[in-house]
């Protein structure tokens, strides 16, 4: 039984990312962008073996669905490089599971997307997307609390 729990705990980050990417709905999860939450969390805050490669692939798939040529993939790689070279902040020990750092990551991306094609409709949609991702960060990251009894 412990082996099954161990396998499920190991596979959970991969499965939740796949699930959120496939659960693509126009208003609530456009192009599966909610998958950026577990991609960020399991790469930077609670690192899982081999998940950075998986996250890179899924950032590429999100870009493919959004018709963005390597936008989120480049931002992910840039943030990965910055995180590797920084010495001041340890993301694994921040409050609220590094929610504010996630908001910076998403905010930079959404801000750049808003500036690239500024219309009021685009601005409102991107503002909604930023708020929605920020609000859902804590509940989605709390899903991994499977403890063995």
């Amino acid at each position: 039984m412990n082996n099954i729990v161990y396998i499920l705990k190991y596979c959970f980050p991969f499965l939740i990312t796949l699930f959120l990417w496939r659960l693509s709905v126009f208003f609530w999860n456009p192009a599966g962008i909610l998958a950026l939450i577990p991609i960020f969390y399991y790469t930077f805050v609670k690192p899982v073996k081999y998940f950075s490669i998986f996250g890179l692939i899924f950032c590429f798939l999100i870009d493919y669905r959004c018709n963005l040529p390597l936008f989120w993939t480049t931002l992910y790689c840039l943030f990965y490089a910055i995180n590797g070279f920084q010495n001041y902040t340890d993301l694994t020990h921040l409050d609220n599971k590094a929610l504010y750092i996630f908001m910076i990551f998403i905010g930079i991306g959404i801000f750049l997307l808003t500036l690239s094609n500024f219309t009021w409709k685009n601005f409102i949609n991107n503002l909604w997307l930023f708020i929605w991702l920020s609000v859902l960060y804590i509940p989605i990251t709390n899903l991994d609390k499977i403890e063995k009894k």
Side-chain angles (χ1 to χ4, degrees), residues 7-113:
I7 291 171
L8 287 176
K9 278 187 91 163
Y10 182 74
C11 292
F12 180 75
F14 300 97
L15 295 175
I16 192 71
T17 305
L18 181 64
F19 175 74
L20 288 173
W21 179 73
R22 289 288 297 157
L23 185 70
S24 179
V25 181
F26 175 71
F27 184 72
W28 300 106
N29 188 13
I33 201 152
L34 285 180
L36 287 176
I37 295 171
I39 288 170
F40 178 86
Y41 182 70
Y42 291 111
T43 301
F44 302 115
V45 180
K46 189 178 177 184
V48 173
K49 266 186 172 180
Y50 307 112
F51 194 80
S52 58
I53 297 168
F54 187 76
L56 184 67
I57 291 168
F58 269 86
C59 283
F60 177 76
L61 291 174
I62 291 169
D63 286 337
Y64 179 75
R65 274 194 177 170
C66 291
N67 290 328
L68 296 170
L70 300 177
F71 178 76
W72 289 109
T73 307
T74 304
L75 192 63
Y76 175 77
C77 289
L78 180 67
F79 199 82
Y80 191 82
I82 290 170
N83 186 46
F85 288 121
Q86 59 87 20
N87 293 324
Y88 300 109
T89 306
D90 184 15
L91 294 181
T92 60
H93 294 95
L94 287 179
D95 295 337
N96 293 329
K97 299 182 179 190
L99 171 65
Y100 301 124
I101 305 297
F102 175 74
M103 290 171 70
I104 291 171
F105 171 70
I106 292 298
I108 290 171
I110 290 177
F111 179 70
L112 292 174
L113 287 175

